[in-house]
Amino acid sequence: MRTVAVTKIGSLRDPDESTRGRIGVVDFPEQPLGPEDVRIRVAYSAICGSDPHLAEGFFGTDVPIGLGHELSGVVEELGERAHRNGLRVGDRVAGNFLRFCGTCRPCQEGRQQFCEHIQDYNRPGMAETVTWHESQVYRLPDDVSLLKGCLLEPTSVAVRIADKTRIRVGDRVAICGGGPIGQLALQVMKMHGATSLTMIEPIADRRAMARRHGADYIIDPVNEDQDAVAGEITGGRGFDVVIDASGSTRAVRGLLDIAAKGATVVYGAMYPEDYELPLNLSNHLYLKELTLTGVFVSPYAFPRALQILPHLDVEELTRSVFELEDAADAFAMHVSGRYPKVVIRCNDLEEVRR
Ligand SMILES: [Zn+2]
Ligand SMILES: [Zn+2]
């Protein structure tokens, strides 16, 4: 079964071709279908901002490393007991690449993100098929296309980010980073009642995109004085909620300074393993009582992500589509930053049964 994988560890941005990481299409065996499993013929699988980190060896260096966790597809086969969700062969679905076992202590304590068996079903979905436990699979609403459906997982991350902001009515919100998670978080926070929404983003196209989707203010952190503009927007108080969706060590540096007293700062990205954030305990935690938090994965968020997906405008996140065999080109496009999101078509599935 053709699967997109990291075939050589290294930075995909390395200008030196001899040390650059490499993406290729390899042949992996199809996963076995257990009695509670669902085999999905994958339609679309989107490249995630975390994928280049995998190429750098963040989660291990044994190549090939299969990729793909943002996917949609059609149910091809059901295990004999996989009927608790009413799934049927032919259903258009998307889902959670992680299975929360429900049995371990963290699962029992309502903290599925720390499930001790979280990797058991984490299988590469940038492939012809993927086999998941039925608890990971969600039927797409009729008005959500398979192309849009592959964004269910990143939408779940935006929902989880929104949960962790603990936003109150009237809060001023800033989002740093206008990539896919930042753009989705923007729409989700708008839905969540943010009436003052600021996007901080160095790329003009992404600032413009944020404007089109509800940003009230934008800050260009490279050519503007971020602190000064944030002060103008918030009357000198700072933002009540600050979300980082950039994963950029340069960008996160100034975020604690534009956070208001009592603000919540959510780090909603992946960061280099060796990066340490400068934190002034007296200023940031004692005087300002900031709450700093992060997002690892998105438990309890998928049903709500499914609920809001029809209401999100993601057309601009699904414009760049590559065929499976052109995965290396797709990743080159992703790294170029020309499109906020790049999608791979793993099978050409007609959109029947709408
Ligand atoms: Zn992702
Ligand atoms: Zn568990």
Side-chain angles (χ1 to χ4, degrees):
M1 174 179 71
R2 290 178 305 155
T3 304
V4 179
V6 177
T7 54
K8 181 171 154 244
I9 296 292
S11 168
L12 298 179
R13 293 183 170 83
D14 192 335
D16 182 350
E17 213 188 301
S18 67
T19 48
R20 192 184 306 155
R22 203 171 297 146
I23 303 295
V25 180
V26 299
D27 197 32
F28 276 179
E30 199 162 62
Q31 297 109 19
L33 185 79
E36 297 180 353
D37 293 352
V38 179
R39 177 160 299 137
I40 298 163
R41 183 145 293 267
V42 180
Y44 297 97
S45 192
I47 297 176
C48 174
S50 68
D51 289 334
H53 292 288
L54 270 70
E56 286 162 18
F58 192 96
F59 293 113
T61 53
D62 278 347
V63 291
I65 302 168
L67 296 171
H69 60 268
E70 305 180 355
L71 63 95
S72 63
V74 172
V75 174
E76 187 166 86
E77 199 178 348
L78 292 161
E80 68 231 29
R81 291 207 304 274
H83 296 293
R84 277 175 286 198
N85 280 336
L87 288 169
R88 291 178 184 211
V89 170
D91 278 351
R92 302 157 57 259
V93 296
N96 187 351
F97 65 105
L98 298 171
R99 180 198 176 193
F100 305 122
C101 79
T103 305
C104 72
R105 178 122 188 196
C107 278
Q108 296 273 333
E109 289 178 338
R111 300 191 298 167
Q112 292 180 334
Q113 68 272 32
F114 305 126
C115 173
E116 289 161 8
H117 306 278
I118 204 165
Q119 295 300 340
D120 287 4
Y121 271 77
N122 185 2
R123 295 159 168 181
M126 207 168 269
E128 290 175 84
T129 70
V130 69
T131 304
W132 278 344
H133 187 262
E134 62 176 345
S135 61
Q136 297 168 266
V137 183
Y138 298 85
R139 192 186 291 112
L140 290 171
D142 287 345
D143 53 352
V144 171
S145 68
L146 284 169
L147 184 55
K148 187 175 189 178
C150 76
L151 297 180
L152 178 66
E153 194 278 339
T155 299
S156 81
V157 175
V159 168
R160 170 93 162 126
I161 287 172
D163 286 354
K164 296 212 79 173
T165 63
R166 299 181 303 170
I167 187 175
R168 300 166 311 160
V169 172
D171 276 350
R172 295 186 178 102
V173 177
I175 297 172
C176 173
I181 295 295
Q183 300 285 350
L184 289 169
L186 178 89
Q187 293 188 44
V188 171
M189 293 308 283
K190 191 92 186 167
M191 241 175 232
H192 213 336
T195 50
S196 169
L197 208 41
T198 300
M199 173 62 78
I200 304 168
E201 166 60 52
I203 301 174
D205 283 351
R206 295 184 181 192
R207 290 198 300 272
M209 183 176 168
R211 276 276 196 214
R212 285 192 287 278
H213 295 99
D216 303 292
Y217 307 97
I218 52 174
I219 298 178
D220 172 355
V222 174
N223 296 305
E224 289 182 300
D225 179 337
Q226 178 166 298
D227 289 350
V229 181
E232 282 165 32
I233 294 167
T234 62
R237 291 178 181 281
F239 296 100
D240 307 298
V241 169
V242 179
I243 296 165
D244 178 59
S246 75
S248 155
T249 56
R250 199 160 30 135
V252 292
R253 212 169 271 276
L255 296 183
L256 298 178
D257 297 322
I258 59 168
K261 288 182 175 171
T264 300
V265 184
V266 181
Y267 296 93
M270 269 182 87
Y271 303 92
E273 280 171 296
D274 56 357
Y275 174 66
E276 295 189 6
L277 177 74
L279 176 69
N280 184 312
L281 290 178
S282 174
N283 180 25
H284 296 133
L285 295 193
Y286 175 62
L287 292 172
K288 281 171 82 167
E289 286 196 11
L290 298 183
T291 299
L292 312 187
T293 186
V295 167
F296 172 45
V297 294
S298 42
Y300 313 106
F302 276 82
R304 289 174 294 140
L306 203 62
Q307 185 66 27
I308 62 169
L309 195 54
H311 303 284
L312 299 178
D313 178 2
V314 300
E315 191 274 324
E316 293 184 60
L317 295 178
T318 51
R319 278 185 188 166
S320 179
V321 181
F322 285 75
E323 301 300 325
L324 180 66
E325 48 273 20
D326 302 325
D329 296 338
F331 273 80
M333 179 64 86
H334 170 81
V335 169
S336 80
R338 277 228 343 252
Y339 292 90
K341 195 87 179 153
V342 176
V343 177
I344 292 179
R345 189 185 352 246
C346 296
N347 287 283
D348 191 1
L349 301 178
E350 278 180 58
E351 298 224 16
V352 286
R353 296 175 60 95
R354 292 288 290 276

